[in-house]
Amino acid sequence: METWSRRGAAFDCVPQPAACCPDWMAELPDALPLSRLSIPGTHDSLSLFGGRRLRCQSWGLEAQLAAGIRFLDVRCKLWRGELRIYHLCTFQRANLRGVLRRTLHFLRAHPGEAVLMRIKEELPIFSRPGFAAQLHRCLLEEGQGCVWCREEVPTLGQVRGKIVVLEALAREVLGIPYEELSISDAWNVLSLERKWTRVRRHLEKAAGGDPSTMFLTFCSGNGLFTCPEQVARFVNPRCQQHLRRRAGQPVRWGVIIMDFPGAGLLRLIVASNGHGTAAPGTARVQSRQLRGRGDRPRRGQHSSARWPSARTLLPAPRLRRATSVPGGQKRLPRACRASGSLGVTAV
C-alpha cells in the first residue's frame, strides 16, 4: 500500500522514475517550432530538499531527463560569485554550472533532444547587480556553444543538442523573454478545485491558440493549508484525465510543468506530438548514430547537434531591453515584432 500510494500513473514521488523516454524529440521533424510542441516539464526542478513544505521533486536531474522531461525550472541566488540553486531560502546542494554541465552531458548522449531551461533569480528583495553578468559568464563558459540565447523561438532543428534559455532579466537579453510568453502560474493555492480550473482553461487555450506563441501551464502550487505534494496528488490525475480525452490525436498542449509527475502523464504529453507524422523528406535525428564524439553524420542526416552554428553564440551583455512603453503596454523585442515568433498574453 505504501509503494502504491507513492507511485501512480499521474503522480510519482519515488526516487527513480518508472518512465523512460530519453529520445522522444528525435522522432519529430526539424521544421517544428518549439511553440508547436507538447513538452513535459518540472517546476522548481532541483527542489529535492527542504521537507514536505518545500520539496517539489523526487527525481534527480539525470532521472528527469531520461524520463522525458524537457523543461527545467532553475532558480539561483548569487552567493560569493557563484550561482547556487535555491528554493526560497533552502540551498539545494547544486549550482548552475553543474546543472549546465549535467544537462549538456545528457544532450551529448542524446543529440536529437533539446532542453528548455528557465533561469531566474530566486526571491531577490532587490535584484543583485552582479546576477546578470555572472549568468552571462556562466552560460558562456559552460555552454560550450550549445546554448540558444536569442529572443526568438527556434525550430527543433535549430536547437537539437542544445539548451534553450528562457530568462526574466529586467534589461539584459540572454534568452527568450519569459514574461512575453503565455503563462498560467497560479502558484498560491487557496482552493485545489480553483487551481485545477485555471490549469484546465490554460491547457485548452494552448490547444486552440496561436501556434507561434509559447504556452506554459504550471500544474504546481503551494499554500498556507497545502503543500506541493498535496497539490500534485490532486491536479496531476485530473490533468491526465483531461489529456486522455484527446489521446490518439495530435494536440499542442504547450509546456506542462509539474511537481512529482507520473509515467502515464508524461507519456500522454509526449504522445500528443504525434510521433511518426513527419512529412516525406523531413530530416530527423537518429541519436544512436551521432553518439560518438568523433562521429560525423552521414549524408542527409541532421548535423547541428554536434557542431553548433555560430548563430547560437551568446549575445553581448550590453544589449538592453526597453522597460517602459507608453500606455502601460509591454514592448515586443525587435526580433519578435519582425517575425511574430512570440506572442504576449496576460494571464
Side-chain angles (χ1 to χ4, degrees):
M1 187 67 178
E2 171 91 14
T3 302
W4 178 86
S5 65
R6 295 178 64 203
R7 167 172 286 168
F11 173 90
D12 189 345
C13 64
V14 175
Q16 290 300 320
C20 184
C21 197
D23 294 294
W24 66 267
M25 283 182 163
E27 299 296 321
L28 300 176
D30 281 351
L32 274 175
L34 295 188
S35 60
R36 297 190 64 177
L37 298 182
S38 298
I39 299 174
T42 49
H43 153 259
D44 238 313
S45 304
L46 281 299
S47 182
L48 301 168
F49 308 101
R52 202 160 178 262
R53 297 294 307 175
L54 287 182
R55 192 171 72 107
C56 299
Q57 308 300 331
S58 61
W59 307 339
L61 176 61
E62 288 80 3
Q64 290 184 35
L65 294 171
I69 296 297
R70 294 294 176 269
F71 171 93
L72 300 174
D73 180 21
V74 179
R75 305 176 180 217
C76 312
K77 287 186 179 183
L78 183 60
W79 187 85
R80 296 185 180 179
E82 177 185 34
L83 292 176
R84 291 188 163 195
I85 309 300
Y86 274 82
H87 184 187
L88 299 179
C89 295
T90 302
F91 176 48
Q92 296 300 317
R93 308 179 194 179
N95 58 52
L96 182 59
R97 287 183 181 271
V99 170
L100 292 171
R101 289 172 192 162
R102 293 156 63 190
T103 303
L104 288 172
H105 178 77
F106 171 84
L107 289 171
R108 283 192 292 271
H110 305 275
E113 308 302 292
V115 174
L116 283 73
M117 187 177 292
R118 177 204 184 191
I119 303 175
K120 73 179 291 281
E121 188 173 8
E122 178 72 341
L123 282 183
I125 299 175
F126 300 101
S127 184
R128 298 290 296 273
F131 183 88
Q134 183 62 30
L135 175 57
H136 180 268
R137 186 178 304 113
C138 190
L139 291 172
L140 186 65
E141 293 173 358
E142 301 296 339
Q144 305 171 30
C146 293
V147 178
W148 178 272
C149 287
R150 297 172 63 184
E151 290 183 84
E152 63 267 28
V153 176
T155 65
L156 182 54
Q158 289 176 295
V159 292
R160 292 194 193 271
K162 299 179 178 65
I163 295 171
V164 180
V165 176
L166 283 66
E167 51 82 6
L169 299 174
R171 297 178 181 273
E172 284 77 7
V173 178
L174 296 179
I176 298 173
Y178 180 79
E179 72 278 3
E180 290 167 3
L181 309 178
S182 179
I183 301 165
S184 174
D185 185 11
W187 64 268
N188 187 14
V189 177
L190 299 177
S191 163
L192 291 172
E193 288 286 356
R194 196 173 304 143
K195 168 66 181 180
W196 164 240
T197 298
R198 293 283 296 270
V199 169
R200 177 178 52 79
R201 286 176 179 170
H202 201 255
L203 288 174
E204 286 304 314
K205 190 174 181 180
D210 182 355
S212 67
T213 299
M214 285 192 75
F215 288 79
L216 279 66
T217 304
F218 282 81
C219 297
S220 55
N222 206 342
L224 182 62
F225 303 108
T226 187
C227 68
E229 180 180 327
Q230 290 174 321
V231 175
R233 285 183 182 274
F234 185 89
V235 174
N236 289 10
R238 284 159 179 77
C239 184
Q240 183 187 23
Q241 292 169 11
H242 186 73
L243 270 57
R244 189 183 289 146
R245 293 190 183 101
R246 296 176 68 176
Q249 56 182 299
V251 184
R252 189 279 299 264
W253 297 113
V255 185
I256 302 179
I257 303 161
M258 303 159 283
D259 289 339
F260 306 106
L265 180 52
L266 291 180
R267 292 191 190 104
L268 274 174
I269 298 170
V270 169
S272 67
N273 289 293
H275 291 184
T277 59
T282 303
R284 294 182 184 174
V285 171
Q286 299 299 326
S287 61
R288 286 192 296 265
Q289 295 174 343
L290 294 179
R291 279 186 183 170
R293 184 177 292 272
D295 292 345
R296 295 280 174 174
R298 298 174 184 174
R299 183 176 299 175
Q301 288 180 337
H302 178 85
S303 61
S304 66
R306 296 293 300 152
W307 297 276
S309 163
R311 294 176 68 190
T312 64
L313 294 178
L314 290 166
R318 61 184 174 81
L319 295 175
R320 302 288 174 179
R321 181 178 297 125
T323 57
S324 62
V325 180
Q329 298 296 317
K330 289 185 179 179
R331 183 192 299 273
L332 279 172
R334 185 188 310 168
C336 303
R337 296 197 298 272
S339 64
S341 56
L342 286 177
V344 179
T345 307
V347 179

